């Protein structure tokens, strides 16, 4: 049997089954009952260091001049 034919038959049967089970496992892991707290924490992590609302852009780094440009 040629190598290509052997690999092709393996990919068409067992590897396809493995990849389908792997995909179902990833989906089940993401939807498990204990992951809700972790997902909410990660979703809110971008706001963790916010202690005041954004300004009008006057103090944005692109608006400030460097010491050498003055």
């Amino acid at each position: 049997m040629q190598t290509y034919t052997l690999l092709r038959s393996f990919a068409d049967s067992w590897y396809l089954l493995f990849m389908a089970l792997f995909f179902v496992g990833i989906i089940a892991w993401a939807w498990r009952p204990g992951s809700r707290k972790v997902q909410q924490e990660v979703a809110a992590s971008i706001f963790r260091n916010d202690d005041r609302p954004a300004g009008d852009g006057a103090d944005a780094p692109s608006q400030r001049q460097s010491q050498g440009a003055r």
Side-chain angles (χ1 to χ4, degrees):
M1 185 179 267
Q2 292 181 347
T3 305
Y4 175 78
T5 307
L6 179 66
L7 291 175
R8 176 67 190 248
S9 64
F10 177 73
D12 285 344
S13 59
W14 292 107
Y15 192 70
L16 179 64
L17 178 64
F18 169 75
M19 290 302 290
L21 292 175
F22 183 74
F23 178 75
V24 169
I26 294 293
I27 298 299
W29 180 78
W31 285 88
R32 74 187 190 280
S35 68
R36 180 176 298 262
K37 181 180 175 187
V38 174
Q39 290 171 358
Q40 288 175 345
E41 183 179 322
V42 169
S45 68
I46 60 171
F47 304 114
R48 187 172 295 144
N49 295 325
D50 284 351
D51 53 347
R52 60 185 171 91
D56 59 357
D59 54 349
S62 62
Q63 300 293 328
R64 283 187 258 157
Q65 293 179 345
S66 66
Q67 291 291 80
R70 289 185 184 183

